[in-house]
Amino acid sequence: MTEAETEAETEAETEAGTEAGTRTGTRAAGTQDPPAGVEVRKAEYGDRLAAVEPGGTEFIPYDQRHGTPLKLLWTWTSPNLEFATIFLGVLAVAAFGLSFWQAVAAALLGTGLGAVTHGILSARGPGHGVGQMVLGRIAFGYRGNALPAGLNTIAGGVGWFAVNSVSATFALATLTGLPKPLCLAVVVVLQVAIGFFGHNLVHTVERYAFPVLAVVFAVGAVVILSKANFSAPASGEGGGLGGFLIATAAAFGYAAGWNPYAADYTRYLPPGTGKRATGLYAGLGIFLGCTTLQIVGSAAVTIGGDALGDPTGTFTGHMPSWLGDLTLLAITLGAICANAINIYSGAMSFVTLGVKLPVALQRAAAALAFGVIGLVVAYFGLEDAGHDYEAFLLIIAYWVAPWLGVVLTDQWLRRGTPMDEARLFDRSYANHAGPIAMLAGVVISVWLFSNQQKYTGPVPDAWPSIGDITALVGFLLAAALYALLVRVLPASHRDKTVDEPAHKEAADPQVT
């Protein structure tokens, strides 16, 4: 077989996502040299399961690559098959005042937007071999990237970790009758253990949890939907366009909350892996997991009960006792799946800040530290979890949307020419347009358009029917500012100042 035929066969197999394609792609990639100027991970890891993933943010060598795009389907479906997703659907009807069908539309729209962006970002991982926040250094500069990486460290390693730990604790306590603090400790230990071991164990746990979660929640969904009153009038306060926009923003915040993690779980794929398949499976996993259980949660409210005061008990109370117990167990497992990813990527974001820990296992050490912090935060969040969750989802959207505005605009401007990957590890590289545009997008959009109990901006205060469009405004404002500022404030590094605009300076061919 000629070299050209071999390359053609490798590409075809990889695109199809077969194991044969993966093995061929890995062998071919192993003969390549890594991009010039990148920090390459030296320690062996490969596809070993019973091994702690070494290093932190380094480029993944080609001979360490493995896997297929198909695994992204369960990697991103499993962590969304949990009660936090169900409760988002509950909020749409019980708190935001929507009818069932309005809640369905908000879930589809908000989640769909977050799933599309997740697919676009995930597709970049195989080609560049580094995590999502490392890739962000191109748009934000090495030090300026501390803004989104720091926020993601707090949101993922502490915020989301605490939210899902509380969800799992309620379910386990209801199932076993054990004290909540003890249930919380059990849940946290399991989550941190998975995140500590790292990438391969995370993917494996999501894979084997997927059929269990899918079957249990599918049976539960049939029971809930068979009892639901789809024509029930909207309940609670709010409703109308304002309620719809808030519910859409919350659904977007939940789905897009995974976006800053995207390339973390695709960077080990062989470099020839098809971008379309990678993005499709990653985005589809987010969309299927989120929309399905949000719809079930909204349907459960139409049956009756104290959906906000006792959400877990009310939801499982609509089921036969045996199915209710299985659902509580699935809720616990789903939250553990979600937090395995949160603690892993939260630690990845922390080491992306450039903090040099005095250990070889930087990411693993950070995972342990954030597990302890998350445990403390979750303990104090066991009370009034419903209101805290609603506010948390909107706050996530407030910063993720402007970050996306900068990252996606930068990616579009750089289309068509190769990325200068050495700048991902160049501490002198600066791109001031990124952090300025994102910070302005966050501050201005929150100041004018935030619509929460603790703060209401002047626009929704004057026109309550507008709901909460903070995320949309923040995205558009940050994107427009970045496109303008990147021409006024050209990126630079110590040895050379780049005079060309960003789309000529270091384009990214991975844009889909």
Side-chain angles (χ1 to χ4, degrees):
M1 184 180 292
T2 66
E3 182 177 353
E5 290 172 335
T6 301
E7 291 178 354
E9 179 180 335
T10 298
E11 177 64 24
E13 289 176 334
T14 304
E15 185 71 30
T18 64
E19 285 297 330
T22 300
R23 290 193 296 270
T24 306
T26 302
R27 286 198 301 272
T31 64
Q32 302 175 16
D33 292 327
V38 303
E39 295 179 7
V40 181
R41 195 185 64 200
K42 304 298 184 183
E44 291 288 328
Y45 182 55
D47 59 358
R48 291 184 298 163
L49 188 60
V52 178
E53 181 185 6
T57 62
E58 302 90 351
F59 175 86
I60 306 302
Y62 294 123
D63 61 0
Q64 298 285 301
R65 305 293 188 89
H66 57 88
T68 66
L70 179 60
K71 71 179 181 180
L72 299 171
L73 181 61
W74 49 71
T75 295
W76 290 115
T77 303
S78 294
N80 289 300
L81 297 179
E82 57 157 342
F83 195 74
T85 319
I86 294 172
F87 192 57
L88 183 55
V90 170
L91 287 174
V93 176
F96 303 146
L98 302 183
S99 68
F100 171 77
W101 294 110
Q102 289 172 331
V104 170
L108 292 174
L109 178 58
T111 304
L113 292 173
V116 168
T117 53
H118 192 76
I120 292 173
L121 297 175
S122 295
R124 307 180 73 197
H128 297 300
V130 294
Q132 187 60 56
M133 282 295 148
V134 178
L135 283 172
R137 289 171 177 169
I138 288 293
F140 288 88
Y142 191 97
R143 302 189 186 284
N145 192 54
L147 174 62
L151 287 171
N152 197 46
T153 297
I154 298 171
V158 180
W160 274 118
F161 186 85
V163 165
N164 289 313
S165 294
V166 169
S167 174
T169 297
F170 284 155
L172 189 59
T174 302
L175 177 64
T176 63
L178 295 172
K180 289 179 182 178
L182 177 59
C183 292
L184 176 62
V186 171
V187 167
V188 168
V189 168
L190 290 173
Q191 294 166 162
V192 173
I194 299 169
F196 176 79
F197 274 89
H199 179 274
N200 293 341
L201 185 58
V202 170
H203 276 293
T204 301
V205 169
E206 307 298 345
R207 175 182 180 180
Y208 288 103
F210 174 69
V212 176
L213 295 171
V215 170
V216 173
F217 280 118
V219 176
V222 170
V223 173
I224 295 296
L225 294 175
S226 68
K227 296 181 177 182
N229 180 9
F230 300 126
S231 60
S235 61
E237 299 179 359
L241 178 60
F244 178 79
L245 291 176
I246 292 177
T248 300
F252 171 77
Y254 188 92
W258 300 112
N259 287 182
Y261 306 170
D264 294 356
Y265 302 91
T266 60
R267 73 193 199 280
Y268 275 86
L269 291 174
T273 303
K275 294 187 290 292
R276 182 174 300 176
T278 301
L280 176 63
Y281 283 121
L284 189 60
I286 294 289
F287 186 77
L288 289 177
C290 291
T291 55
T292 301
L293 290 196
Q294 284 179 58
I295 291 171
V296 173
S298 296
V301 180
T302 68
I303 303 175
D306 188 8
L308 292 179
D310 181 21
T312 306
T314 300
F315 181 76
T316 56
H318 298 313
M319 305 173 181
S321 59
W322 64 269
L323 181 56
D325 289 343
L326 283 177
T327 301
L328 289 172
L329 185 61
I331 288 171
T332 305
L333 178 59
I336 291 172
C337 288
N339 270 350
I341 287 181
N342 285 321
I343 196 71
Y344 178 85
S345 284
M348 283 285 294
S349 294
F350 177 75
V351 295
T352 303
L353 293 171
V355 178
K356 293 294 184 180
L357 300 178
V359 291
L361 304 176
Q362 296 183 40
R363 179 212 51 80
L368 284 178
F370 284 111
V372 174
I373 297 171
L375 171 64
V376 175
V377 175
Y379 177 79
F380 289 103
L382 290 175
E383 301 298 330
D384 198 25
H387 289 97
D388 291 343
Y389 184 51
E390 174 187 339
F392 179 71
L393 286 172
L394 293 175
I395 291 173
I396 289 293
Y398 289 173
W399 80 264
V400 169
W403 172 78
L404 280 172
V406 171
V407 169
L408 295 180
T409 300
D410 178 81
Q411 196 170 330
W412 181 75
L413 291 174
R414 297 172 186 276
R415 68 194 184 281
T417 56
M419 173 189 287
D420 182 3
E421 291 169 306
R423 298 195 174 185
L424 298 175
F425 299 93
D426 182 358
R427 289 175 174 263
S428 69
Y429 172 67
N431 188 356
H432 300 301
I436 292 174
M438 177 181 169
L439 190 60
V442 171
V443 172
I444 295 174
S445 63
V446 170
W447 168 47
L448 292 176
F449 294 95
S450 177
N451 191 355
Q452 294 206 40
Q453 289 184 345
K454 295 186 181 299
Y455 174 74
T456 301
V459 175
D461 187 49
W463 297 281
S465 62
I466 201 172
D468 193 320
I469 59 172
T470 308
L472 175 61
V473 174
F475 176 88
L476 295 176
L477 181 58
L481 279 175
Y482 183 79
L484 173 65
L485 291 175
V486 80
R487 300 175 181 277
V488 179
L489 302 171
S492 64
H493 61 103
R494 185 177 296 115
D495 300 325
K496 176 184 177 182
T497 300
V498 181
D499 296 324
E500 297 89 358
H503 65 290
K504 297 295 184 182
E505 168 207 326
D508 183 356
Q510 300 298 321
V511 178
T512 55

